Amino acid sequence: MLGHWKDVKRNKHALVLLAPYFIIFFTFTVLPVLMSLVLSFTYFNMLEAPRWIGWANYARLFAQDDVFLIALKNTLLFAAITGPISYMACFFFAWLINGLPPKLRAFLTLVLYAPSIAGNTYLIWTLLFSSDSYGYMNAFLMKWGFILEPVQWLQDPRFMLAILILVQLWLSLGTAFLAFIAGLQNVDRTLYEAGAIDGIRNRWQELWFITLPAMRPQLMFGAVIQITNAFAVAEISIYLLGFPSVDYAAHTIVTHLIDYGTIRYEMGYASAIATVLFVIMLSTNLITQKLLRKVGD
């Protein structure tokens, strides 16, 4: 205990500088998470004081709420496809353009990053998958004889989740992509020279034994970003496929949370949904951490 107090006194200036951030982080991040966890065991409708009901919200989620089970299945399938693919795509394209001349690298970075900040994303995809014969996809398929009449792409449950996945992958080269480019630029070049002396003979060996181990912080940051994007999908589904989507074909955990939290104001039940999502994301992050520790072994 005395040793810890000495450490605090020795680092008091750093702790004082960190205090404002810690206070803000605790107040607006840690405290709401803890409050949500407590509220998940209550019935709370915003008009009455919270009433303790124990595990009833969780029992209702998994035993009575069929729509939540659909949302859970859609979210897990969506995350299992878009998470790994978008993560590998971010690193692959960053690695691919890293060795190019600076001006060309900057141009390609902008081109690849632009979709993630495009303001008219939903307009573009709505035009592409419009349900009439003027939609680009229907017009192309009808012109070449693949279909005889327009397909209801954004209203047919058979296609909705696939379209959602496609749009998310198109938007996936975002913050993680920029982090990987920054990480690649900061890898110490002398490590490659030392690796060549130690027997590394090709770029794949350089990638596995030098580049990836040197980029572990960026790899972890990118993983957190992509996992969050994969599990927290909602905006694309709402604006592109409607809310709720037909037969809940594109319903996700977050859209279910929005339904109960901002429309029905069943805050206790919404908190239970948020807690389940938090546990899933936390577990996925812990598994990802273990996998990243094996990089370079």
Side-chain angles (χ1 to χ4, degrees):
M1 186 67 182
L2 185 60
H4 289 301
W5 180 245
K6 289 181 178 179
D7 288 338
V8 170
K9 290 184 67 177
R10 184 169 58 250
N11 299 310
K12 60 182 178 181
H13 297 296
L15 295 174
V16 169
L17 292 174
L18 286 172
Y21 170 80
F22 176 79
I23 293 171
I24 293 173
F25 177 77
F26 181 83
T27 303
F28 295 103
T29 302
V30 178
L31 188 59
V33 170
L34 296 177
M35 291 176 62
S36 177
L37 179 60
V38 173
L39 285 175
S40 70
F41 294 98
T42 68
Y43 173 78
F44 183 35
N45 59 9
M46 297 288 289
L47 298 176
E48 303 170 315
R51 187 176 73 250
W52 186 266
I53 58 174
W55 294 93
N57 284 328
Y58 294 97
R60 177 184 168 190
L61 267 179
F62 292 100
Q64 301 175 15
D65 193 342
D66 294 335
V67 176
F68 173 75
L69 296 180
I70 294 173
L72 179 62
K73 181 198 70 175
N74 289 340
T75 302
L76 292 177
L77 179 60
F78 180 88
I81 295 174
T82 62
I85 293 178
S86 62
Y87 183 74
M88 290 186 288
C90 285
F91 183 83
F92 175 75
F93 284 109
W95 183 56
L96 200 64
I97 68 176
N98 180 59
L100 298 176
K103 290 184 179 180
L104 180 58
R105 183 174 65 244
F107 173 74
L108 291 177
T109 299
L110 177 62
V111 169
L112 293 171
Y113 179 68
S116 67
I117 56 174
N120 293 323
T121 300
Y122 310 111
L123 174 63
I124 295 169
W125 289 95
T126 301
L127 288 173
L128 181 62
F129 289 107
S130 179
S131 300
D132 54 32
S133 59
Y134 296 100
Y136 296 154
M137 183 61 71
N138 280 331
F140 174 81
L141 294 176
M142 292 173 68
K143 179 179 180 180
W144 292 98
F146 291 104
I147 58 175
L148 298 178
E149 59 184 18
V151 176
Q152 306 291 311
W153 297 104
L154 301 180
Q155 289 78 36
D156 194 326
R158 295 176 298 171
F159 306 115
M160 295 171 74
L161 190 59
I163 291 174
L164 188 63
I165 291 172
L166 179 63
V167 176
Q168 178 64 28
L169 290 175
W170 184 71
L171 294 169
S172 62
L173 296 182
T175 306
F177 172 63
L178 297 181
F180 289 157
I181 291 177
L184 288 166
Q185 289 294 304
N186 289 322
V187 175
D188 189 352
R189 298 295 143 187
T190 60
L191 294 175
Y192 295 109
E193 298 173 5
I197 295 173
D198 290 337
I200 291 178
R201 293 290 176 262
N202 55 60
R203 290 199 69 186
W204 296 109
Q205 290 180 339
E206 283 184 354
L207 177 65
W208 182 254
F209 292 109
I210 298 176
T211 306
L212 292 178
M215 287 182 58
R216 278 199 180 99
Q218 289 83 9
L219 292 176
M220 190 61 224
F221 174 78
V224 171
I225 293 295
Q226 297 306 106
I227 289 171
T228 302
N229 290 339
F231 281 106
V233 60
E235 187 179 2
I236 302 172
S237 175
I238 292 172
Y239 285 103
L240 194 62
L241 304 172
F243 180 62
S245 54
V246 178
D247 290 342
Y248 299 103
H251 206 58
T252 66
I253 295 178
V254 176
T255 57
H256 203 54
L257 172 61
I258 293 171
D259 184 13
Y260 280 91
T262 64
I263 297 176
R264 308 188 194 202
Y265 289 105
E266 295 187 28
M267 305 307 293
Y269 194 65
S271 296
I273 298 171
T275 301
V276 171
L277 179 60
F278 176 75
V279 170
I280 292 173
M281 294 175 67
L282 181 62
S283 302
T284 307
N285 272 297
L286 292 175
I287 294 171
T288 304
Q289 277 187 332
K290 288 186 177 181
L291 293 175
L292 289 177
R293 289 193 192 104
K294 297 180 180 180
V295 170
D297 291 344

